[in-house]
Amino acid sequence: STPGLALFMQLPGPVESREALETFLDISKRLADALGGELCDENRSVLTQQTIAHLKEQVEEYRLKQQSSLRQKHR
């Protein structure tokens, strides 16, 4: 028996950030279902739709910041 698994995603990566998060969430959910577990956030609270929305907002903020940074370098 395993009390838990920790999964993480690092940005930037080889896949666009929004797509990476969607894939990460999909695989995490499937893994939790297959193992009969629960998907939790970084505070070990059950992952809710509200938390997922917040994660998506964070990834979008990161993506916009990266784009802005790239634009600044090309000036």
Side-chain angles (χ1 to χ4, degrees):
S1 120
T2 302
L5 297 173
L7 305 175
F8 62 93
M9 181 180 85
Q10 181 176 337
L11 296 176
V15 178
E16 192 274 325
S17 57
R18 291 174 293 192
E19 181 183 341
L21 179 62
E22 290 299 328
T23 301
F24 178 80
L25 290 170
D26 180 54
I27 290 170
S28 299
K29 288 174 187 175
R30 287 199 261 156
L31 186 57
D33 288 344
L35 296 174
E38 293 180 315
L39 196 55
C40 297
D41 64 14
E42 69 274 12
N43 300 312
R44 297 184 187 161
S45 297
V46 174
L47 195 67
T48 64
Q49 288 303 315
Q50 183 178 359
T51 306
I52 291 170
H54 182 66
L55 290 171
K56 289 179 179 182
E57 287 173 12
Q58 287 179 310
V59 166
E60 188 62 18
E61 286 173 17
Y62 170 83
R63 189 183 72 78
L64 293 172
K65 190 181 231 182
Q66 288 296 102
Q67 284 181 342
S68 178
S69 227
L70 286 174
R71 281 189 213 120
Q72 297 274 333
K73 287 181 183 179
H74 292 295
R75 287 184 180 177

